[in-house]
């Protein structure tokens, strides 16, 4: 079945540092890929998405490129801020029969940014 | 615009007591609806999803049940809570079967 593997962290960075959170996936066909962010005590918010190979999703300075050849969707940001501290989830929406109605999530990566 | 409401936000219940969490979506019709649980740590587990009124699919066997009495209402229930039911419960909706999910603010359940 579909699966998502992301670096579990925790990741601790200083403000203005470069961020990379790795995400790789296993799926049949051509899934859509997502990054969600969860701030403390809140629900998940969609951060960005990509629906086909080579698409780049971007939002709030974050970027991720859908790489089918490496089955990856790594999240990057050039200069993190304290307000970016949160848990980040990689997810895919597959097209195989068992996955048509749900997203498959990675386990989440806790990011802490220190001033 | 579409909004999703989930309540209560926090509750503390004794073992063996019943549970009812409610979720409603506004501003859209015939959404797909989902219940996820996030246990201690951060992973998300899909509990139930629904593609229409009265249509419920369960992902894992457990002590919980779900119902969809109206198009935009999704309820998570239990007759007798277990300690292991503690966690952060998230309701979500989507427009298309492969579309992104939009989450509620979550309900934190502590079973003592």
């Amino acid at each position: 079945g579909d699966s998502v593997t992301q670096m579990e962290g925790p990741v601790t960075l200083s403000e203005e540092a470069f961020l990379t959170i790795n995400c790789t996936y296993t799926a049949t066909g051509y899934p859509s890929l997502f990054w969600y962010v969860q701030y403390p005590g809140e629900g998940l918010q969609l951060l960005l998405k990509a629906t086909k190979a080579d698409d780049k999703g971007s939002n709030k300075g974050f970027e991720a490129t859908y790489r089918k050849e490496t089955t990856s969707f790594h999240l990057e940001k050039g200069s993190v801020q304290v307000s970016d501290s949160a848990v980040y989830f990689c997810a895919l929406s597959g097209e195989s029969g068992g996955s048509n109605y749900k997203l498959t999530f990675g386990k989440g990566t806790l990011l802490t940014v220190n001033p | 615009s579409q909004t999703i409401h989930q309540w209560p936000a926090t509750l503390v219940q004794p073992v063996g007591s019943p549970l009812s969490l409610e979720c409603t979506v506004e501003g859209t019709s015939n959404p797909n609806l989902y219940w996820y649980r996030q246990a201690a740590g951060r992973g998300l587990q899909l509990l139930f999803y629904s593609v229409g009124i009265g249509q419920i699919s369960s992902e894992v066997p457990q002590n919980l049940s779900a119902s969809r009495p109206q198009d935009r209402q999704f309820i998570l229930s239990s007759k007798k809570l277990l300690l292991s039911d503690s966690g952060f419960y998230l309701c979500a909706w989507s427009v298309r079967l492969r579309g992104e999910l939009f989450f509620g603010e979550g309900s934190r359940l502590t079973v003592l």
Side-chain angles (χ1 to χ4, degrees), chain A residues 6-112:
Chain A
Q6 64 178 102
M7 56 187 289
E8 293 191 18
V11 175
T12 302
L13 297 173
S14 298
E15 205 164 24
E16 299 184 359
F18 184 85
L19 168 71
T20 299
I21 301 177
N22 290 336
C23 172
T24 58
Y25 67 90
T26 301
T28 56
Y30 300 91
S32 296
L33 300 173
F34 308 88
W35 276 101
Y36 281 82
V37 58
Q38 184 180 32
Y39 299 103
E42 299 183 7
L44 277 69
Q45 301 175 27
L46 178 66
L47 181 59
L48 53 84
K49 67 177 181 180
T51 58
K52 60 183 187 294
D54 299 325
D55 267 2
K56 176 185 284 188
S58 61
N59 185 26
K60 299 181 181 180
F62 291 89
E63 294 183 340
T65 301
Y66 188 159
R67 302 288 189 196
K68 188 162 179 63
E69 65 275 13
T70 55
T71 62
S72 64
F73 193 53
H74 304 321
L75 182 68
E76 297 182 335
K77 186 174 186 182
S79 177
V80 293
Q81 305 300 312
V82 172
S83 57
D84 294 327
S85 297
V87 180
Y88 292 82
F89 291 92
C90 185
L92 71 83
S93 177
E95 65 176 31
S96 59
S99 302
N100 273 341
Y101 303 100
K102 63 181 181 181
L103 295 190
T104 299
F105 285 88
K107 293 185 178 181
T109 302
L110 174 62
L111 170 66
T112 301

Side-chain angles (χ1 to χ4, degrees), chain B residues 14-101:
Chain B
V15 170
S17 64
L19 171 72
S20 180
L21 300 179
E22 295 195 29
C23 172
T24 59
V25 180
E26 297 177 357
T28 187
S29 296
N30 196 29
N32 297 320
L33 296 172
Y34 308 81
W35 278 111
Y36 282 85
R37 177 168 59 200
Q38 189 175 29
R42 304 178 300 277
L44 287 160
Q45 180 185 37
L46 177 63
L47 302 176
F48 301 95
Y49 67 88
S50 172
V51 299
I53 296 174
Q55 302 178 58
I56 308 295
S57 296
S58 174
E59 287 292 299
V60 294
Q62 58 201 310
N63 184 44
L64 303 169
S65 62
S67 62
R68 185 171 177 173
Q70 301 181 36
D71 181 45
R72 290 170 290 176
Q73 183 183 25
F74 206 24
I75 298 171
L76 184 70
S77 303
S78 174
K79 292 182 179 178
K80 291 185 178 181
L81 284 169
L82 306 173
L83 288 174
S84 58
D85 292 324
S86 294
F88 192 51
Y89 290 82
L90 291 158
C91 183
W93 70 275
S94 69
V95 174
R96 297 179 296 113
L97 294 180
R98 294 185 59 196
E100 61 263 34
L101 296 185

